[in-house]
Amino acid sequence: YIKTSEGDESQNLIVGGNENILSFLCIKAQRMIKMRQPTLSVRINKNTSDDFWNASLALSAEGIGMPSYFCDETVIKALMNLGIPHQRAEDYAVVGCYETCPQGDTHALTVAYGYNLTDILLDYMRLHSAPESYAEYYSGFCKYYHDYYIRELLPAFQKHRSQIARKWGSPFLACCMKGCIENNLAPEQYGAVYSFYSINILGIGTLVDSLYCIEKLIFSDKRYTYSQLLDAMDNNFADEEMYRSFRNLEGKYGTNSDRTNCLAAELSEMIGRISLDHPLDHNVKVSPALFRWLADVYTGNYPATPDGRRKNERLSYGIAPTEISKNKCLTSILGSSANIKTDLFPDGCPLTVSLSAAELDHLKNIISVYFNMGGFHLNINVTDYKKFEAAQNKP
């Protein structure tokens, strides 16, 4: 187990599902040595034994951020939505961080391309004046997203995937992957039994809150005009009163409010469906993910957004709410996140929550209820201020 830690980062070892002795040994080894590699994940389903639960929860209690928990039922359904037969979908593992795919016959090509949902919203706002009703505005955005995806993104995906097929080939990988020798083609040349092209999509929480703020403050309450919002965003919300109105609006995503939950469900279904319904050439399936690694942090000069987020502040990551969403708690975050159509995003729907050591007694129930609601993934940080103080005194 120590030997496996000597490689590069983003090695992911997943155990469980059909658990066996080796599953328990890996969890035990990780608990003993606490190495950062491999990243250990566990598969949870309705048949998971109490012993496996207890071993996994004991590792979570160590406070090293492992294991990550994946819900078999949701992941398998998501892979089947890519056209993978049920028996093959059951034999999945995780690539690197959160990306799931069947093993041994699938060229997943994870983290192939990425984009920000807020880019498309900001383009729409710059190009369209406000109509009479929010319903018209919202339907206009959905149409703009669809047209933008078909016009701009899909050709870019195809061009990139074709370049990979022309320029690269992995002979050794071809020897290890079913279909390649039979087809006399490398994985990059579509030789594997299944070929994915994975896209990473950032900012579902920021998008939901932005549209919610527009609906509530511009159309419903009429506290501000649409042109005032555009000016405020151009000036980074310099007006403090307006800034607080948008930033502190009650009921944002992550508070388990009905309106933003509904928006999260509608938008995630639209985004997931359009990706799954438009394969690339050679029947390469587009496998979407609701995360974009580190793009939430490296915002650079990224402009202000309608949710009250100022320039350079973080965008929402994975299916988590934004940092600026007020009055959220663990159960409200899970309640909101459960509305995301995670079974349409087989390449990953990460969600990380932080617990105190005292809350660990409820961890099994927390994970079980979330997964029963359709959750895909859950990562647990265990925070303890005493450990932080001790680290300050003795790094």
Side-chain angles (χ1 to χ4, degrees):
Y1 199 90
I2 291 174
K3 194 72 176 175
T4 65
S5 71
E6 295 178 3
D8 201 355
E9 65 171 357
S10 296
Q11 300 176 86
N12 198 308
L13 173 64
I14 192 164
V15 299
N18 295 322
E19 62 207 51
N20 55 38
I21 294 173
L22 188 58
S23 305
F24 288 90
L25 287 174
C26 289
I27 294 173
K28 182 179 180 181
Q30 183 63 57
R31 201 175 165 195
M32 290 170 62
I33 67 171
K34 297 182 174 65
M35 301 288 278
R36 71 181 186 90
Q37 291 287 300
T39 303
L40 186 65
S41 301
V42 294
R43 291 174 51 165
I44 299 296
N45 58 50
K46 61 183 179 182
N47 297 317
T48 298
S49 70
D50 289 340
D51 287 343
F52 189 79
W53 266 113
N54 291 336
S56 301
L57 296 171
L59 179 55
S60 292
E62 296 288 345
I64 61 173
M66 298 186 203
S68 275
Y69 294 83
F70 286 84
C71 176
D72 272 356
E73 286 81 5
T74 304
V75 171
I76 290 169
K77 185 178 180 182
L79 290 169
M80 291 177 67
N81 282 332
L82 274 175
I84 305 298
H86 186 272
Q87 186 175 2
R88 291 298 305 120
E90 285 185 318
D91 187 26
Y92 77 87
V94 179
V95 180
C97 303
Y98 330 104
E99 306 96 313
T100 60
C101 72
Q103 296 303 289
D105 59 4
T106 303
H107 185 231
L109 201 60
T110 57
V111 198
Y113 204 100
Y115 66 95
N116 293 357
L117 292 167
T118 42
D119 287 349
I120 302 175
L121 176 63
L122 294 177
D123 280 349
Y124 177 71
M125 294 182 70
R126 283 191 288 265
L127 296 172
H128 296 79
S129 58
E132 292 297 321
S133 68
Y134 174 75
E136 184 181 349
Y137 185 81
Y138 178 72
S139 63
F141 168 73
C142 292
K143 183 180 185 304
Y144 183 79
Y145 177 86
H146 179 275
D147 294 345
Y148 184 92
Y149 185 94
I150 301 300
R151 182 184 69 250
E152 303 289 341
L153 293 175
L154 198 58
F157 300 160
Q158 183 60 68
K159 179 180 179 181
H160 181 225
R161 185 62 184 87
S162 298
Q163 288 176 339
I164 290 172
R166 286 197 308 270
K167 294 182 178 181
W168 289 285
S170 304
F172 179 75
L173 184 59
C175 295
C176 306
M177 190 169 288
K178 293 178 182 177
C180 293
I181 291 178
E182 294 85 345
N183 294 322
N184 198 29
L185 292 169
E188 293 84 353
Q189 282 78 52
Y190 322 106
V193 177
Y194 303 106
S195 292
F196 298 166
Y197 182 86
S198 298
I199 55 171
N200 297 83
I201 306 167
L202 182 70
I204 185 70
T206 304
L207 176 66
V208 168
D209 286 348
S210 294
L211 288 169
Y212 172 63
C213 286
I214 291 171
E215 177 185 24
K216 179 71 174 169
L217 297 174
I218 305 298
F219 288 94
S220 178
D221 296 352
K222 300 185 184 301
R223 290 183 59 183
Y224 304 97
T225 67
Y226 192 65
S227 61
Q228 284 178 315
L229 173 58
L230 293 176
D231 289 343
M233 291 165 57
D234 287 341
N235 291 293
N236 203 27
F237 285 102
D239 184 308
E240 284 294 324
E241 182 180 351
M242 188 174 182
Y243 167 67
R244 289 192 295 270
S245 296
F246 282 84
R247 191 178 185 91
N248 298 332
L249 183 63
E250 297 286 341
K252 286 185 174 181
Y253 177 71
T255 62
N256 204 21
S257 72
D258 291 342
R259 184 66 195 118
T260 47
N261 285 354
C262 181
L263 271 174
E266 291 175 357
L267 291 167
S268 61
E269 181 162 16
M270 175 187 73
I271 294 162
R273 289 286 178 199
I274 195 172
S275 301
L276 295 174
D277 291 347
H278 292 83
L280 306 183
D281 292 349
H282 301 275
N283 198 34
V284 174
K285 300 296 179 65
V286 176
S287 180
L290 285 177
F291 75 94
R292 193 177 179 192
W293 192 57
L294 289 180
D296 60 315
V297 179
Y298 296 145
T299 51
N301 291 319
Y302 202 85
T305 46
D307 60 334
R309 182 197 140 273
R310 278 178 164 161
K311 179 180 177 181
N312 297 340
E313 289 188 301
R314 287 184 64 182
L315 296 166
S316 66
Y317 185 80
I319 61 172
T322 66
E323 292 181 331
I324 65 175
S325 175
K326 304 294 184 182
N327 300 321
K328 56 185 183 288
C329 62
L330 174 62
T331 52
S332 70
I333 290 171
L334 296 176
S336 288
S337 300
N339 288 274
I340 299 289
K341 303 299 184 182
T342 55
D343 61 337
L344 302 179
F345 297 90
D347 205 46
C349 297
L351 178 62
T352 298
V353 295
S354 294
L355 304 178
S356 67
E359 292 173 302
L360 284 172
D361 291 341
H362 308 288
L363 184 54
K364 180 181 177 181
N365 289 335
I366 290 168
I367 297 169
S368 297
V369 171
Y370 180 59
F371 282 177
N372 286 338
M373 295 168 67
F376 185 105
H377 160 271
L378 199 59
N379 198 69
I380 310 297
N381 281 336
V382 180
T383 56
D384 184 340
Y385 75 92
K386 292 180 180 179
K387 289 184 179 180
F388 287 124
E389 288 181 342
Q392 287 180 321
N393 296 327
K394 190 177 180 181

